[in-house]
Amino acid sequence: MSCFAKEYEFLTEIGIEPRNYGSFVDGYWKGSGSVVSSVNPANNKPIAEVVEASSQDYEEGMQACFKASKIWIQLPAPKRGEIVRQIGDALRSKLEYLGRLLSLEMGKILPEGIGEVQEVIDMCDFAVGLSRQLNGSVIPSERPNHMMLEMWNPLGVVGVITAFNFPCAVLGWNACIALVCGNCVVWKGAPTTPLITIAMTKLIGEVLEKNSLPAAIFTSFCGGAEIGQAIAKDTRIPLVSFTGSSKVGLMVQQTVSQRFGKCLLELSGNNALIIMDDADIKLAVRSVLFAAVGTAGQRCTTCRRLLVHEKVYNSVVDQLLEAYKQVKIGDPLEKGTLLGPLHTRASRENFEKGIKVIKSQGKSSQVVRIIESKGNFVQPTIVEISPSADVVKEELFGPVLYVLKFKTFEEAVEINNSVPQGLSSSIFTRSSDIIFKWIGPQGSDCGIVNANIPTNGAEIGGAFGGEKGTGGGREAGSDSWKQYMRWSTCTINYGSELPLAQGINFG
């Protein structure tokens, strides 16, 4: 490939070429690994080529990143915040191009692609304010002429391994906060979304260069599992943030724990939305559609289990089936498209295999038609099934919605909590009593517990993450910044006596 097809020419505006190096090492682009093609999931045609990172590229990059961390930690936090503010402005200036690339490469519809890049910009703004609020505490000491206080200091280097479904938002949740906390960042993007990794990195690198700072403060690699394994094993990286499946996340955690490192895990979700008999049904149905079909069911917060009270069950299912018939499936870049393709051909094949298993366990399924296409398009599917069916406990990463019937609130909570995952959950009801039970100790066991809104659409001001098989990590808002720092309790004696040594003559 020597030049782009006309529909891809916009990529040159964000530094993407027909052939790209995929390692940003000490301010230079290089690559000596495998050559891969980034593929458009709407037609499975290549967009551009990328030369992935090799083990040697990784080591060179990490040496430079570790060295740069000694400089970055010396900058006052508000000055680090100023750099992150400039990164936000750089992303803002290329918002439409980046959003279009994200939709093109990942397959989510254009409003979601632009919205995801905007979320990184918003995280930059959030982190700028945070850079002046990295506060500790002063603690009363029980000893005279002593003071106790807490100190928060940078870890050094933070590793960020992101997934294809949110190829830049998850970076923003981690990197923006890690940077203002005084850490350098080493980023491994998903192997199937290398172009967004390169485009984001180029903009960040330009900001560092403009401020005469070491470019290695932000180091990134395009590559496969071997680069992720290197990050997990690397003792120079005290904290590894990993987003992906529970199976792989457990392996990452075990590897990092063997060297006494810390892990921040954002893993699988099997999220339930409960509709009580007093719910606003129209609001609930719209929310279910948004939560179950959006991003072709490839969000970790996708609604996968719909729990409906027996009194309103038939009404809800009828309205939902009618709404599903109106979903426009097609090119994610075209206006009006609600459902784009699955991300890869393998994803489509797994979906089709999963539907066969589901049919053998479900009472009925609503599959309108098989979509014949060169792309990875699938039909969003509704399955009426028993809560005890084995397949309900698993996460099929696609637009499949299990519909389950219940009689009481307590039964709904039990079903909600019965799966290994614990990310997001929501209930639709007009009862304040039920809402407060739902968010309390006898309610949902998830990290995200909503009422009268979908399971997805989390805001950056609150910490994002889940319990159990979801990994227990928290990213973005609230106190999540504390994970990117080390915490010391300091005692200072400003007197001339040591209370525990009174009565001892030291000569």
Side-chain angles (χ1 to χ4, degrees), residues 264-278:
L264 197 167
L265 300 175
E266 297 286 359
L267 310 177
S268 304
N270 193 349
N271 315 295
L273 188 151
I274 298 169
I275 301 180
M276 297 298 296
D277 56 342
D278 67 339

PDB file of all heavy atoms in Angstrom, residues 264-278:
ATOM      1  N   LEU A 264      -4.654  -3.439  38.850  1.00  0.00           N
ATOM      2  CA  LEU A 264      -5.945  -2.762  38.777  1.00  0.00           C
ATOM      3  C   LEU A 264      -6.700  -3.450  37.638  1.00  0.00           C
ATOM      4  O   LEU A 264      -6.344  -3.295  36.475  1.00  0.00           O
ATOM      5  CB  LEU A 264      -5.748  -1.270  38.506  1.00  0.00           C
ATOM      6  CG  LEU A 264      -6.899  -0.310  38.782  1.00  0.00           C
ATOM      7  CD1 LEU A 264      -6.393   1.126  38.747  1.00  0.00           C
ATOM      8  CD2 LEU A 264      -8.021  -0.475  37.786  1.00  0.00           C
ATOM      9  N   LEU A 265      -7.706  -4.252  37.982  1.00  0.00           N
ATOM     10  CA  LEU A 265      -8.364  -5.107  37.001  1.00  0.00           C
ATOM     11  C   LEU A 265      -9.774  -4.628  36.687  1.00  0.00           C
ATOM     12  O   LEU A 265     -10.565  -4.362  37.591  1.00  0.00           O
ATOM     13  CB  LEU A 265      -8.426  -6.547  37.522  1.00  0.00           C
ATOM     14  CG  LEU A 265      -7.086  -7.215  37.831  1.00  0.00           C
ATOM     15  CD1 LEU A 265      -7.309  -8.586  38.452  1.00  0.00           C
ATOM     16  CD2 LEU A 265      -6.233  -7.342  36.569  1.00  0.00           C
ATOM     17  N   GLU A 266     -10.074  -4.527  35.387  1.00  0.00           N
ATOM     18  CA  GLU A 266     -11.425  -4.244  34.900  1.00  0.00           C
ATOM     19  C   GLU A 266     -11.784  -5.382  33.952  1.00  0.00           C
ATOM     20  O   GLU A 266     -11.374  -5.389  32.790  1.00  0.00           O
ATOM     21  CB  GLU A 266     -11.482  -2.894  34.182  1.00  0.00           C
ATOM     22  CG  GLU A 266     -11.167  -1.699  35.058  1.00  0.00           C
ATOM     23  CD  GLU A 266     -12.282  -1.352  36.026  1.00  0.00           C
ATOM     24  OE1 GLU A 266     -13.334  -2.037  36.015  1.00  0.00           O
ATOM     25  OE2 GLU A 266     -12.106  -0.408  36.804  1.00  0.00           O
ATOM     26  N   LEU A 267     -12.552  -6.338  34.471  1.00  0.00           N
ATOM     27  CA  LEU A 267     -12.767  -7.581  33.730  1.00  0.00           C
ATOM     28  C   LEU A 267     -14.217  -7.739  33.305  1.00  0.00           C
ATOM     29  O   LEU A 267     -14.916  -6.772  33.101  1.00  0.00           O
ATOM     30  CB  LEU A 267     -12.281  -8.754  34.585  1.00  0.00           C
ATOM     31  CG  LEU A 267     -10.853  -8.584  35.156  1.00  0.00           C
ATOM     32  CD1 LEU A 267     -10.479  -9.743  36.050  1.00  0.00           C
ATOM     33  CD2 LEU A 267      -9.832  -8.397  34.047  1.00  0.00           C
ATOM     34  N   SER A 268     -14.681  -8.958  33.182  1.00  0.00           N
ATOM     35  CA  SER A 268     -15.975  -9.252  32.569  1.00  0.00           C
ATOM     36  C   SER A 268     -17.154  -8.709  33.368  1.00  0.00           C
ATOM     37  O   SER A 268     -17.089  -8.546  34.588  1.00  0.00           O
ATOM     38  CB  SER A 268     -16.124 -10.764  32.427  1.00  0.00           C
ATOM     39  OG  SER A 268     -15.055 -11.313  31.691  1.00  0.00           O
ATOM     40  N   GLY A 269     -18.243  -8.463  32.655  1.00  0.00           N
ATOM     41  CA  GLY A 269     -19.506  -8.088  33.278  1.00  0.00           C
ATOM     42  C   GLY A 269     -20.626  -8.987  32.774  1.00  0.00           C
ATOM     43  O   GLY A 269     -20.581  -9.455  31.638  1.00  0.00           O
ATOM     44  N   ASN A 270     -21.597  -9.258  33.629  1.00  0.00           N
ATOM     45  CA  ASN A 270     -22.780 -10.037  33.230  1.00  0.00           C
ATOM     46  C   ASN A 270     -23.970  -9.323  33.858  1.00  0.00           C
ATOM     47  O   ASN A 270     -24.608  -9.819  34.778  1.00  0.00           O
ATOM     48  CB  ASN A 270     -22.662 -11.484  33.718  1.00  0.00           C
ATOM     49  CG  ASN A 270     -23.689 -12.396  33.077  1.00  0.00           C
ATOM     50  OD1 ASN A 270     -24.625 -11.933  32.421  1.00  0.00           O
ATOM     51  ND2 ASN A 270     -23.539 -13.685  33.274  1.00  0.00           N
ATOM     52  N   ASN A 271     -24.251  -8.153  33.325  1.00  0.00           N
ATOM     53  CA  ASN A 271     -25.044  -7.155  34.034  1.00  0.00           C
ATOM     54  C   ASN A 271     -26.546  -7.372  33.892  1.00  0.00           C
ATOM     55  O   ASN A 271     -27.044  -7.683  32.824  1.00  0.00           O
ATOM     56  CB  ASN A 271     -24.664  -5.768  33.508  1.00  0.00           C
ATOM     57  CG  ASN A 271     -23.157  -5.631  33.397  1.00  0.00           C
ATOM     58  OD1 ASN A 271     -22.455  -5.663  34.391  1.00  0.00           O
ATOM     59  ND2 ASN A 271     -22.654  -5.520  32.179  1.00  0.00           N
ATOM     60  N   ALA A 272     -27.241  -7.178  35.009  1.00  0.00           N
ATOM     61  CA  ALA A 272     -28.690  -7.372  35.042  1.00  0.00           C
ATOM     62  C   ALA A 272     -29.411  -6.038  35.201  1.00  0.00           C
ATOM     63  O   ALA A 272     -28.941  -5.137  35.898  1.00  0.00           O
ATOM     64  CB  ALA A 272     -29.072  -8.304  36.186  1.00  0.00           C
ATOM     65  N   LEU A 273     -30.558  -5.947  34.547  1.00  0.00           N
ATOM     66  CA  LEU A 273     -31.464  -4.818  34.708  1.00  0.00           C
ATOM     67  C   LEU A 273     -32.806  -5.383  35.160  1.00  0.00           C
ATOM     68  O   LEU A 273     -33.355  -6.272  34.508  1.00  0.00           O
ATOM     69  CB  LEU A 273     -31.595  -4.034  33.409  1.00  0.00           C
ATOM     70  CG  LEU A 273     -32.371  -2.710  33.447  1.00  0.00           C
ATOM     71  CD1 LEU A 273     -31.844  -1.756  32.380  1.00  0.00           C
ATOM     72  CD2 LEU A 273     -33.871  -2.934  33.261  1.00  0.00           C
ATOM     73  N   ILE A 274     -33.300  -4.898  36.298  1.00  0.00           N
ATOM     74  CA  ILE A 274     -34.526  -5.410  36.909  1.00  0.00           C
ATOM     75  C   ILE A 274     -35.669  -4.432  36.656  1.00  0.00           C
ATOM     76  O   ILE A 274     -35.522  -3.225  36.881  1.00  0.00           O
ATOM     77  CB  ILE A 274     -34.336  -5.597  38.430  1.00  0.00           C
ATOM     78  CG1 ILE A 274     -33.232  -6.631  38.701  1.00  0.00           C
ATOM     79  CG2 ILE A 274     -35.640  -6.018  39.105  1.00  0.00           C
ATOM     80  CD1 ILE A 274     -32.791  -6.688  40.157  1.00  0.00           C
ATOM     81  N   ILE A 275     -36.806  -4.946  36.198  1.00  0.00           N
ATOM     82  CA  ILE A 275     -38.006  -4.119  36.015  1.00  0.00           C
ATOM     83  C   ILE A 275     -39.063  -4.601  37.003  1.00  0.00           C
ATOM     84  O   ILE A 275     -39.595  -5.715  36.873  1.00  0.00           O
ATOM     85  CB  ILE A 275     -38.531  -4.206  34.568  1.00  0.00           C
ATOM     86  CG1 ILE A 275     -37.451  -3.729  33.580  1.00  0.00           C
ATOM     87  CG2 ILE A 275     -39.803  -3.373  34.411  1.00  0.00           C
ATOM     88  CD1 ILE A 275     -37.878  -3.790  32.126  1.00  0.00           C
ATOM     89  N   MET A 276     -39.360  -3.758  37.998  1.00  0.00           N
ATOM     90  CA  MET A 276     -40.384  -4.081  38.984  1.00  0.00           C
ATOM     91  C   MET A 276     -41.772  -3.804  38.402  1.00  0.00           C
ATOM     92  O   MET A 276     -41.918  -3.141  37.371  1.00  0.00           O
ATOM     93  CB  MET A 276     -40.170  -3.254  40.251  1.00  0.00           C
ATOM     94  CG  MET A 276     -38.853  -3.532  40.976  1.00  0.00           C
ATOM     95  SD  MET A 276     -38.675  -5.226  41.577  1.00  0.00           S
ATOM     96  CE  MET A 276     -40.020  -5.296  42.779  1.00  0.00           C
ATOM     97  N   ASP A 277     -42.818  -4.276  39.092  1.00  0.00           N
ATOM     98  CA  ASP A 277     -44.177  -4.130  38.570  1.00  0.00           C
ATOM     99  C   ASP A 277     -44.687  -2.700  38.624  1.00  0.00           C
ATOM    100  O   ASP A 277     -45.692  -2.365  37.991  1.00  0.00           O
ATOM    101  CB  ASP A 277     -45.145  -5.069  39.300  1.00  0.00           C
ATOM    102  CG  ASP A 277     -45.142  -4.855  40.806  1.00  0.00           C
ATOM    103  OD1 ASP A 277     -44.173  -4.252  41.330  1.00  0.00           O
ATOM    104  OD2 ASP A 277     -46.094  -5.304  41.464  1.00  0.00           O
ATOM    105  N   ASP A 278     -43.991  -1.807  39.370  1.00  0.00           N
ATOM    106  CA  ASP A 278     -44.416  -0.408  39.443  1.00  0.00           C
ATOM    107  C   ASP A 278     -43.528   0.499  38.587  1.00  0.00           C
ATOM    108  O   ASP A 278     -43.574   1.722  38.708  1.00  0.00           O
ATOM    109  CB  ASP A 278     -44.393   0.079  40.900  1.00  0.00           C
ATOM    110  CG  ASP A 278     -42.991   0.146  41.481  1.00  0.00           C
ATOM    111  OD1 ASP A 278     -42.081  -0.539  40.937  1.00  0.00           O
ATOM    112  OD2 ASP A 278     -42.788   0.861  42.466  1.00  0.00           O
TER     113      ASP A 278
END
